mmCIF file of all heavy atoms in Angstrom:
data_model
loop_
_atom_site.group_PDB
_atom_site.id
_atom_site.type_symbol
_atom_site.label_atom_id
_atom_site.label_comp_id
_atom_site.label_asym_id
_atom_site.label_seq_id
_atom_site.Cartn_x
_atom_site.Cartn_y
_atom_site.Cartn_z
ATOM 1 N N LYS A 694 -20.498 10.000 123.703
ATOM 2 C CA LYS A 694 -20.378 9.832 122.249
ATOM 3 C C LYS A 694 -18.921 9.842 121.808
ATOM 4 O O LYS A 694 -18.569 9.239 120.792
ATOM 5 C CB LYS A 694 -21.153 10.935 121.530
ATOM 6 C CG LYS A 694 -22.663 10.819 121.689
ATOM 7 C CD LYS A 694 -23.386 11.894 120.909
ATOM 8 C CE LYS A 694 -24.901 11.729 121.048
ATOM 9 N NZ LYS A 694 -25.647 12.780 120.313
ATOM 10 N N LYS A 695 -18.066 10.539 122.581
ATOM 11 C CA LYS A 695 -16.656 10.653 122.211
ATOM 12 C C LYS A 695 -15.774 10.240 123.380
ATOM 13 O O LYS A 695 -16.199 10.267 124.539
ATOM 14 C CB LYS A 695 -16.328 12.101 121.807
ATOM 15 C CG LYS A 695 -17.071 12.595 120.578
ATOM 16 C CD LYS A 695 -16.672 14.023 120.251
ATOM 17 C CE LYS A 695 -17.393 14.528 119.013
ATOM 18 N NZ LYS A 695 -17.029 15.940 118.683
ATOM 19 N N VAL A 696 -14.539 9.876 123.077
ATOM 20 C CA VAL A 696 -13.563 9.594 124.125
ATOM 21 C C VAL A 696 -13.345 10.868 124.935
ATOM 22 O O VAL A 696 -13.116 11.940 124.349
ATOM 23 C CB VAL A 696 -12.230 9.115 123.520
ATOM 24 C CG1 VAL A 696 -11.180 8.907 124.611
ATOM 25 C CG2 VAL A 696 -12.432 7.826 122.732
ATOM 26 N N PRO A 697 -13.439 10.817 126.255
ATOM 27 C CA PRO A 697 -13.322 12.043 127.059
ATOM 28 C C PRO A 697 -11.921 12.649 126.994
ATOM 29 O O PRO A 697 -10.935 11.970 126.681
ATOM 30 C CB PRO A 697 -13.663 11.576 128.472
ATOM 31 C CG PRO A 697 -13.402 10.108 128.476
ATOM 32 C CD PRO A 697 -13.697 9.632 127.090
ATOM 33 N N ALA A 698 -11.858 13.929 127.275
ATOM 34 C CA ALA A 698 -10.581 14.649 127.280
ATOM 35 C C ALA A 698 -9.618 13.994 128.253
ATOM 36 O O ALA A 698 -10.006 13.512 129.319
ATOM 37 C CB ALA A 698 -10.806 16.105 127.677
ATOM 38 N N GLY A 699 -8.340 13.949 127.860
ATOM 39 C CA GLY A 699 -7.314 13.364 128.706
ATOM 40 C C GLY A 699 -6.964 11.936 128.331
ATOM 41 O O GLY A 699 -6.036 11.350 128.900
ATOM 42 N N TYR A 700 -7.694 11.360 127.369
ATOM 43 C CA TYR A 700 -7.430 9.992 126.920
ATOM 44 C C TYR A 700 -7.211 9.987 125.405
ATOM 45 O O TYR A 700 -7.823 10.780 124.684
ATOM 46 C CB TYR A 700 -8.592 9.059 127.276
ATOM 47 C CG TYR A 700 -8.892 9.016 128.743
ATOM 48 C CD1 TYR A 700 -9.865 9.853 129.306
ATOM 49 C CD2 TYR A 700 -8.202 8.157 129.601
ATOM 50 C CE1 TYR A 700 -10.136 9.831 130.659
ATOM 51 C CE2 TYR A 700 -8.472 8.123 130.963
ATOM 52 C CZ TYR A 700 -9.442 8.967 131.484
ATOM 53 O OH TYR A 700 -9.705 8.944 132.835
ATOM 54 N N GLN A 701 -6.350 9.102 124.961
ATOM 55 C CA GLN A 701 -6.055 9.026 123.532
ATOM 56 C C GLN A 701 -7.272 8.540 122.752
ATOM 57 O O GLN A 701 -7.880 7.529 123.099
ATOM 58 C CB GLN A 701 -4.889 8.058 123.284
ATOM 59 C CG GLN A 701 -3.577 8.473 123.932
ATOM 60 C CD GLN A 701 -2.514 7.392 123.786
ATOM 61 O OE1 GLN A 701 -2.821 6.234 123.524
ATOM 62 N NE2 GLN A 701 -1.264 7.793 123.941
ATOM 63 N N LYS A 702 -7.590 9.278 121.699
ATOM 64 C CA LYS A 702 -8.752 8.909 120.885
ATOM 65 C C LYS A 702 -8.551 7.572 120.171
ATOM 66 O O LYS A 702 -9.511 6.877 119.849
ATOM 67 C CB LYS A 702 -9.051 10.014 119.868
ATOM 68 C CG LYS A 702 -9.599 11.292 120.501
ATOM 69 C CD LYS A 702 -9.916 12.325 119.454
ATOM 70 C CE LYS A 702 -10.614 13.536 120.058
ATOM 71 N NZ LYS A 702 -9.839 14.193 121.108
ATOM 72 N N ASP A 703 -7.281 7.218 119.909
ATOM 73 C CA ASP A 703 -6.999 5.958 119.234
ATOM 74 C C ASP A 703 -6.522 4.870 120.201
ATOM 75 O O ASP A 703 -5.894 3.901 119.800
ATOM 76 C CB ASP A 703 -5.962 6.168 118.127
ATOM 77 C CG ASP A 703 -4.633 6.714 118.668
ATOM 78 O OD1 ASP A 703 -4.590 7.093 119.866
ATOM 79 O OD2 ASP A 703 -3.655 6.763 117.896
ATOM 80 N N HIS A 704 -6.820 5.042 121.481
ATOM 81 C CA HIS A 704 -6.449 4.039 122.478
ATOM 82 C C HIS A 704 -7.122 2.711 122.119
ATOM 83 O O HIS A 704 -8.282 2.692 121.661
ATOM 84 C CB HIS A 704 -6.899 4.494 123.870
ATOM 85 C CG HIS A 704 -6.354 3.675 124.993
ATOM 86 N ND1 HIS A 704 -6.865 2.431 125.322
ATOM 87 C CD2 HIS A 704 -5.340 3.902 125.866
ATOM 88 C CE1 HIS A 704 -6.190 1.947 126.351
ATOM 89 N NE2 HIS A 704 -5.264 2.826 126.707
ATOM 90 N N PRO A 705 -6.426 1.568 122.293
ATOM 91 C CA PRO A 705 -7.028 0.267 121.953
ATOM 92 C C PRO A 705 -8.371 0.006 122.649
ATOM 93 O O PRO A 705 -9.216 -0.707 122.112
ATOM 94 C CB PRO A 705 -5.977 -0.738 122.397
ATOM 95 C CG PRO A 705 -4.692 0.017 122.351
ATOM 96 C CD PRO A 705 -5.027 1.423 122.722
ATOM 97 N N GLN A 706 -8.554 0.601 123.835
ATOM 98 C CA GLN A 706 -9.824 0.427 124.558
ATOM 99 C C GLN A 706 -10.667 1.708 124.518
ATOM 100 O O GLN A 706 -11.453 1.978 125.435
ATOM 101 C CB GLN A 706 -9.563 0.020 126.018
ATOM 102 C CG GLN A 706 -9.154 -1.436 126.185
ATOM 103 C CD GLN A 706 -7.729 -1.688 125.716
ATOM 104 O OE1 GLN A 706 -6.822 -0.964 126.094
ATOM 105 N NE2 GLN A 706 -7.533 -2.712 124.887
ATOM 106 N N ALA A 707 -10.531 2.461 123.448
ATOM 107 C CA ALA A 707 -11.213 3.758 123.345
ATOM 108 C C ALA A 707 -12.721 3.637 123.574
ATOM 109 O O ALA A 707 -13.327 4.482 124.249
ATOM 110 C CB ALA A 707 -10.933 4.390 121.982
ATOM 111 N N GLU A 708 -13.334 2.601 123.022
ATOM 112 C CA GLU A 708 -14.782 2.451 123.167
ATOM 113 C C GLU A 708 -15.177 2.315 124.634
ATOM 114 O O GLU A 708 -16.202 2.867 125.062
ATOM 115 C CB GLU A 708 -15.278 1.249 122.368
ATOM 116 C CG GLU A 708 -15.344 1.475 120.871
ATOM 117 C CD GLU A 708 -16.206 2.679 120.498
ATOM 118 O OE1 GLU A 708 -17.376 2.721 120.947
ATOM 119 O OE2 GLU A 708 -15.716 3.569 119.786
ATOM 120 N N TYR A 709 -14.365 1.604 125.410
ATOM 121 C CA TYR A 709 -14.697 1.408 126.820
ATOM 122 C C TYR A 709 -14.325 2.630 127.661
ATOM 123 O O TYR A 709 -14.872 2.798 128.760
ATOM 124 C CB TYR A 709 -14.010 0.150 127.354
ATOM 125 C CG TYR A 709 -14.576 -1.103 126.738
ATOM 126 C CD1 TYR A 709 -13.839 -1.836 125.805
ATOM 127 C CD2 TYR A 709 -15.853 -1.538 127.063
ATOM 128 C CE1 TYR A 709 -14.372 -2.987 125.217
ATOM 129 C CE2 TYR A 709 -16.389 -2.686 126.481
ATOM 130 C CZ TYR A 709 -15.648 -3.399 125.558
ATOM 131 O OH TYR A 709 -16.180 -4.524 124.986
ATOM 132 N N LEU A 710 -13.427 3.466 127.169
ATOM 133 C CA LEU A 710 -13.095 4.702 127.884
ATOM 134 C C LEU A 710 -14.239 5.717 127.791
ATOM 135 O O LEU A 710 -14.300 6.658 128.582
ATOM 136 C CB LEU A 710 -11.807 5.309 127.331
ATOM 137 C CG LEU A 710 -10.545 4.463 127.512
ATOM 138 C CD1 LEU A 710 -9.347 5.158 126.879
ATOM 139 C CD2 LEU A 710 -10.274 4.185 128.990
ATOM 140 N N LYS A 711 -15.131 5.533 126.840
ATOM 141 C CA LYS A 711 -16.304 6.406 126.724
ATOM 142 C C LYS A 711 -17.331 6.115 127.818
ATOM 143 O O LYS A 711 -18.166 6.951 128.130
ATOM 144 C CB LYS A 711 -16.981 6.216 125.363
ATOM 145 C CG LYS A 711 -16.158 6.622 124.163
ATOM 146 C CD LYS A 711 -16.933 6.309 122.884
ATOM 147 C CE LYS A 711 -16.124 6.604 121.633
ATOM 148 N NZ LYS A 711 -16.877 6.253 120.401
ATOM 149 N N TYR A 712 -17.250 4.930 128.389
ATOM 150 C CA TYR A 712 -18.263 4.520 129.354
ATOM 151 C C TYR A 712 -18.173 5.324 130.653
ATOM 152 O O TYR A 712 -17.094 5.755 131.063
ATOM 153 C CB TYR A 712 -18.100 3.031 129.682
ATOM 154 C CG TYR A 712 -18.641 2.074 128.643
ATOM 155 C CD1 TYR A 712 -18.474 2.325 127.279
ATOM 156 C CD2 TYR A 712 -19.295 0.914 129.007
ATOM 157 C CE1 TYR A 712 -18.958 1.440 126.331
ATOM 158 C CE2 TYR A 712 -19.782 0.015 128.065
ATOM 159 C CZ TYR A 712 -19.606 0.290 126.726
ATOM 160 O OH TYR A 712 -20.087 -0.592 125.790
ATOM 161 N N LYS A 713 -19.317 5.499 131.281
ATOM 162 C CA LYS A 713 -19.385 6.089 132.628
ATOM 163 C C LYS A 713 -19.699 5.021 133.680
ATOM 164 O O LYS A 713 -19.552 5.254 134.879
ATOM 165 C CB LYS A 713 -20.450 7.188 132.677
ATOM 166 C CG LYS A 713 -20.139 8.386 131.786
ATOM 167 C CD LYS A 713 -21.066 9.546 132.066
ATOM 168 C CE LYS A 713 -22.474 9.285 131.566
ATOM 169 N NZ LYS A 713 -23.365 10.458 131.780
ATOM 170 N N SER A 714 -20.174 3.871 133.220
ATOM 171 C CA SER A 714 -20.421 2.712 134.074
ATOM 172 C C SER A 714 -20.123 1.471 133.247
ATOM 173 O O SER A 714 -20.190 1.508 132.008
ATOM 174 C CB SER A 714 -21.870 2.701 134.584
ATOM 175 O OG SER A 714 -22.784 2.798 133.497
ATOM 176 N N TRP A 715 -19.785 0.397 133.946
ATOM 177 C CA TRP A 715 -19.413 -0.859 133.282
ATOM 178 C C TRP A 715 -20.088 -1.993 134.045
ATOM 179 O O TRP A 715 -19.710 -2.280 135.188
ATOM 180 C CB TRP A 715 -17.892 -1.063 133.306
ATOM 181 C CG TRP A 715 -17.111 0.021 132.628
ATOM 182 C CD1 TRP A 715 -16.567 -0.011 131.374
ATOM 183 C CD2 TRP A 715 -16.745 1.299 133.163
ATOM 184 N NE1 TRP A 715 -15.904 1.158 131.089
ATOM 185 C CE2 TRP A 715 -15.996 1.989 132.179
ATOM 186 C CE3 TRP A 715 -16.997 1.940 134.380
ATOM 187 C CZ2 TRP A 715 -15.486 3.265 132.376
ATOM 188 C CZ3 TRP A 715 -16.499 3.217 134.578
ATOM 189 C CH2 TRP A 715 -15.755 3.863 133.579
ATOM 190 N N TYR A 716 -21.087 -2.605 133.442
ATOM 191 C CA TYR A 716 -21.799 -3.637 134.180
ATOM 192 C C TYR A 716 -22.235 -4.779 133.269
ATOM 193 O O TYR A 716 -22.166 -4.685 132.038
ATOM 194 C CB TYR A 716 -23.005 -3.049 134.926
ATOM 195 C CG TYR A 716 -24.050 -2.375 134.063
ATOM 196 C CD1 TYR A 716 -25.031 -3.111 133.405
ATOM 197 C CD2 TYR A 716 -24.078 -0.983 133.934
ATOM 198 C CE1 TYR A 716 -26.001 -2.509 132.637
ATOM 199 C CE2 TYR A 716 -25.047 -0.357 133.165
ATOM 200 C CZ TYR A 716 -26.008 -1.118 132.522
ATOM 201 O OH TYR A 716 -26.970 -0.503 131.752
ATOM 202 N N LEU A 717 -22.680 -5.861 133.923
ATOM 203 C CA LEU A 717 -23.117 -7.069 133.235
ATOM 204 C C LEU A 717 -24.542 -7.388 133.664
ATOM 205 O O LEU A 717 -24.909 -7.162 134.818
ATOM 206 C CB LEU A 717 -22.217 -8.257 133.599
ATOM 207 C CG LEU A 717 -20.703 -8.050 133.474
ATOM 208 C CD1 LEU A 717 -19.972 -9.271 134.019
ATOM 209 C CD2 LEU A 717 -20.301 -7.780 132.027
ATOM 210 N N GLU A 718 -25.317 -7.921 132.737
ATOM 211 C CA GLU A 718 -26.664 -8.388 133.050
ATOM 212 C C GLU A 718 -26.915 -9.717 132.362
ATOM 213 O O GLU A 718 -26.609 -9.860 131.175
ATOM 214 C CB GLU A 718 -27.726 -7.384 132.593
ATOM 215 C CG GLU A 718 -27.769 -6.090 133.387
ATOM 216 C CD GLU A 718 -28.885 -5.160 132.934
ATOM 217 O OE1 GLU A 718 -29.545 -5.486 131.910
ATOM 218 O OE2 GLU A 718 -29.098 -4.124 133.576
ATOM 219 N N TYR A 719 -27.462 -10.661 133.106
ATOM 220 C CA TYR A 719 -27.877 -11.934 132.534
ATOM 221 C C TYR A 719 -29.359 -12.086 132.832
ATOM 222 O O TYR A 719 -29.759 -12.313 133.980
ATOM 223 C CB TYR A 719 -27.084 -13.102 133.126
ATOM 224 C CG TYR A 719 -27.480 -14.434 132.524
ATOM 225 C CD1 TYR A 719 -26.917 -14.872 131.332
ATOM 226 C CD2 TYR A 719 -28.460 -15.227 133.132
ATOM 227 C CE1 TYR A 719 -27.298 -16.076 130.760
ATOM 228 C CE2 TYR A 719 -28.846 -16.435 132.563
ATOM 229 C CZ TYR A 719 -28.262 -16.848 131.379
ATOM 230 O OH TYR A 719 -28.650 -18.035 130.801
ATOM 231 N N PRO A 720 -30.232 -11.932 131.816
ATOM 232 C CA PRO A 720 -31.681 -12.004 132.053
ATOM 233 C C PRO A 720 -32.132 -13.417 132.377
ATOM 234 O O PRO A 720 -31.551 -14.401 131.899
ATOM 235 C CB PRO A 720 -32.275 -11.532 130.718
ATOM 236 C CG PRO A 720 -31.229 -11.852 129.702
ATOM 237 C CD PRO A 720 -29.906 -11.695 130.396
ATOM 238 N N MET A 721 -33.175 -13.511 133.204
ATOM 239 C CA MET A 721 -33.717 -14.815 133.581
ATOM 240 C C MET A 721 -35.234 -14.789 133.470
ATOM 241 O O MET A 721 -35.897 -13.876 133.976
ATOM 242 C CB MET A 721 -33.288 -15.192 135.000
ATOM 243 C CG MET A 721 -31.782 -15.245 135.192
ATOM 244 S SD MET A 721 -31.273 -16.213 136.627
ATOM 245 C CE MET A 721 -31.356 -17.883 135.973
ATOM 246 N N GLU A 722 -35.772 -15.807 132.811
ATOM 247 C CA GLU A 722 -37.217 -15.962 132.690
ATOM 248 C C GLU A 722 -37.787 -16.550 133.982
ATOM 249 O O GLU A 722 -37.085 -17.188 134.763
ATOM 250 C CB GLU A 722 -37.552 -16.871 131.509
ATOM 251 C CG GLU A 722 -37.112 -16.324 130.158
ATOM 252 C CD GLU A 722 -37.839 -15.046 129.779
ATOM 253 O OE1 GLU A 722 -39.010 -14.886 130.215
ATOM 254 O OE2 GLU A 722 -37.245 -14.223 129.059
ATOM 255 N N ASP A 723 -39.086 -16.354 134.173
ATOM 256 C CA ASP A 723 -39.732 -16.850 135.390
ATOM 257 C C ASP A 723 -39.530 -18.350 135.565
ATOM 258 O O ASP A 723 -39.331 -18.833 136.689
ATOM 259 C CB ASP A 723 -41.227 -16.527 135.359
ATOM 260 C CG ASP A 723 -41.517 -15.038 135.428
ATOM 261 O OD1 ASP A 723 -40.552 -14.251 135.594
ATOM 262 O OD2 ASP A 723 -42.690 -14.648 135.311
ATOM 263 N N ASP A 724 -39.585 -19.099 134.469
ATOM 264 C CA ASP A 724 -39.443 -20.556 134.559
ATOM 265 C C ASP A 724 -38.082 -20.974 135.121
ATOM 266 O O ASP A 724 -37.963 -22.038 135.730
ATOM 267 C CB ASP A 724 -39.635 -21.201 133.187
ATOM 268 C CG ASP A 724 -41.095 -21.242 132.769
ATOM 269 O OD1 ASP A 724 -41.967 -21.025 133.648
ATOM 270 O OD2 ASP A 724 -41.373 -21.474 131.572
ATOM 271 N N GLU A 725 -37.059 -20.124 134.920
ATOM 272 C CA GLU A 725 -35.723 -20.443 135.431
ATOM 273 C C GLU A 725 -35.624 -20.240 136.939
ATOM 274 O O GLU A 725 -34.639 -20.639 137.557
ATOM 275 C CB GLU A 725 -34.673 -19.582 134.723
ATOM 276 C CG GLU A 725 -34.557 -19.835 133.230
ATOM 277 C CD GLU A 725 -33.518 -18.939 132.588
ATOM 278 O OE1 GLU A 725 -32.342 -19.328 132.567
ATOM 279 O OE2 GLU A 725 -33.897 -17.846 132.113
ATOM 280 N N LEU A 726 -36.635 -19.610 137.513
ATOM 281 C CA LEU A 726 -36.619 -19.305 138.947
ATOM 282 C C LEU A 726 -37.478 -20.261 139.761
ATOM 283 O O LEU A 726 -37.413 -20.270 140.988
ATOM 284 C CB LEU A 726 -37.125 -17.875 139.178
ATOM 285 C CG LEU A 726 -36.295 -16.756 138.552
ATOM 286 C CD1 LEU A 726 -37.108 -15.469 138.468
ATOM 287 C CD2 LEU A 726 -35.037 -16.505 139.364
ATOM 288 N N ARG A 727 -38.291 -21.058 139.100
ATOM 289 C CA ARG A 727 -39.300 -21.833 139.827
ATOM 290 C C ARG A 727 -38.694 -22.936 140.694
ATOM 291 O O ARG A 727 -39.228 -23.243 141.764
ATOM 292 C CB ARG A 727 -40.321 -22.418 138.848
ATOM 293 C CG ARG A 727 -41.107 -21.333 138.129
ATOM 294 C CD ARG A 727 -42.300 -21.856 137.371
ATOM 295 N NE ARG A 727 -42.789 -20.900 136.397
ATOM 296 C CZ ARG A 727 -43.516 -19.833 136.676
ATOM 297 N NH1 ARG A 727 -43.846 -19.583 137.934
ATOM 298 N NH2 ARG A 727 -43.919 -19.017 135.719
ATOM 299 N N ASP A 728 -37.600 -23.532 140.247
ATOM 300 C CA ASP A 728 -36.897 -24.535 141.053
ATOM 301 C C ASP A 728 -35.739 -23.822 141.755
ATOM 302 O O ASP A 728 -34.718 -23.515 141.146
ATOM 303 C CB ASP A 728 -36.378 -25.667 140.170
ATOM 304 C CG ASP A 728 -35.798 -26.823 140.978
ATOM 305 O OD1 ASP A 728 -35.083 -26.559 141.972
ATOM 306 O OD2 ASP A 728 -36.036 -27.980 140.608
ATOM 307 N N ALA A 729 -35.909 -23.562 143.033
ATOM 308 C CA ALA A 729 -34.950 -22.740 143.771
ATOM 309 C C ALA A 729 -33.548 -23.335 143.764
ATOM 310 O O ALA A 729 -32.552 -22.629 143.589
ATOM 311 C CB ALA A 729 -35.431 -22.533 145.201
ATOM 312 N N ALA A 730 -33.447 -24.638 143.975
ATOM 313 C CA ALA A 730 -32.131 -25.283 144.046
ATOM 314 C C ALA A 730 -31.404 -25.181 142.709
ATOM 315 O O ALA A 730 -30.197 -24.894 142.667
ATOM 316 C CB ALA A 730 -32.279 -26.741 144.463
ATOM 317 N N VAL A 731 -32.128 -25.399 141.620
ATOM 318 C CA VAL A 731 -31.530 -25.291 140.286
ATOM 319 C C VAL A 731 -31.101 -23.848 140.025
ATOM 320 O O VAL A 731 -30.010 -23.582 139.494
ATOM 321 C CB VAL A 731 -32.517 -25.773 139.200
ATOM 322 C CG1 VAL A 731 -31.985 -25.457 137.799
ATOM 323 C CG2 VAL A 731 -32.768 -27.267 139.345
ATOM 324 N N PHE A 732 -31.966 -22.903 140.420
ATOM 325 C CA PHE A 732 -31.628 -21.490 140.227
ATOM 326 C C PHE A 732 -30.362 -21.118 140.981
ATOM 327 O O PHE A 732 -29.472 -20.437 140.432
ATOM 328 C CB PHE A 732 -32.786 -20.601 140.690
ATOM 329 C CG PHE A 732 -32.375 -19.166 140.859
ATOM 330 C CD1 PHE A 732 -32.153 -18.351 139.761
ATOM 331 C CD2 PHE A 732 -32.175 -18.639 142.128
ATOM 332 C CE1 PHE A 732 -31.735 -17.037 139.921
ATOM 333 C CE2 PHE A 732 -31.766 -17.326 142.297
ATOM 334 C CZ PHE A 732 -31.548 -16.522 141.188
ATOM 335 N N VAL A 733 -30.257 -21.505 142.247
ATOM 336 C CA VAL A 733 -29.091 -21.161 143.067
ATOM 337 C C VAL A 733 -27.810 -21.694 142.428
ATOM 338 O O VAL A 733 -26.798 -20.985 142.343
ATOM 339 C CB VAL A 733 -29.258 -21.686 144.508
ATOM 340 C CG1 VAL A 733 -27.936 -21.652 145.265
ATOM 341 C CG2 VAL A 733 -30.298 -20.853 145.250
ATOM 342 N N THR A 734 -27.850 -22.916 141.950
ATOM 343 C CA THR A 734 -26.671 -23.520 141.315
ATOM 344 C C THR A 734 -26.271 -22.750 140.059
ATOM 345 O O THR A 734 -25.088 -22.438 139.858
ATOM 346 C CB THR A 734 -26.950 -24.990 140.955
ATOM 347 O OG1 THR A 734 -27.240 -25.717 142.154
ATOM 348 C CG2 THR A 734 -25.755 -25.617 140.263
ATOM 349 N N LYS A 735 -27.255 -22.427 139.229
ATOM 350 C CA LYS A 735 -26.956 -21.701 137.986
ATOM 351 C C LYS A 735 -26.472 -20.283 138.277
ATOM 352 O O LYS A 735 -25.498 -19.816 137.678
ATOM 353 C CB LYS A 735 -28.189 -21.647 137.090
ATOM 354 C CG LYS A 735 -27.940 -20.915 135.772
ATOM 355 C CD LYS A 735 -29.119 -21.006 134.827
ATOM 356 C CE LYS A 735 -28.806 -20.305 133.511
ATOM 357 N NZ LYS A 735 -29.916 -20.437 132.524
ATOM 358 N N ALA A 736 -27.146 -19.589 139.187
ATOM 359 C CA ALA A 736 -26.766 -18.215 139.513
ATOM 360 C C ALA A 736 -25.344 -18.158 140.063
ATOM 361 O O ALA A 736 -24.548 -17.290 139.670
ATOM 362 C CB ALA A 736 -27.749 -17.619 140.513
ATOM 363 N N ALA A 737 -25.011 -19.071 140.960
ATOM 364 C CA ALA A 737 -23.667 -19.088 141.539
ATOM 365 C C ALA A 737 -22.617 -19.337 140.467
ATOM 366 O O ALA A 737 -21.540 -18.722 140.478
ATOM 367 C CB ALA A 737 -23.580 -20.138 142.639
ATOM 368 N N GLU A 738 -22.903 -20.217 139.523
ATOM 369 C CA GLU A 738 -21.958 -20.495 138.443
ATOM 370 C C GLU A 738 -21.749 -19.267 137.561
ATOM 371 O O GLU A 738 -20.617 -18.939 137.172
ATOM 372 C CB GLU A 738 -22.451 -21.678 137.604
ATOM 373 C CG GLU A 738 -21.611 -21.997 136.380
ATOM 374 C CD GLU A 738 -20.168 -22.398 136.704
ATOM 375 O OE1 GLU A 738 -19.845 -22.598 137.899
ATOM 376 O OE2 GLU A 738 -19.372 -22.502 135.752
#
């Protein structure tokens, strides 16, 4: 909820300093998986 001790509360990246993990997710519907070749190309991109 707060910037952890040892970091400036007004740091330009203060919101990201609160994080304990940093990850990305791109959801995919079943229909996007049905054509394997198309899926592989899109996933790699």
Side-chain angles (χ1 to χ4, degrees):
K694 291 183 178 179
K695 297 181 179 179
V696 176
Y700 302 94
Q701 298 173 341
K702 290 182 173 58
D703 60 351
H704 191 282
Q706 284 73 49
E708 285 304 307
Y709 292 108
L710 296 178
K711 295 177 184 178
Y712 282 40
K713 295 191 288 183
S714 54
W715 300 260
Y716 60 82
L717 310 174
E718 290 183 353
Y719 181 84
M721 302 200 81
E722 297 295 330
D723 293 355
D724 285 346
E725 296 179 88
L726 298 162
R727 296 192 197 283
D728 187 318
V731 171
F732 165 74
V733 166
T734 299
K735 181 173 182 177
E738 175 62 9

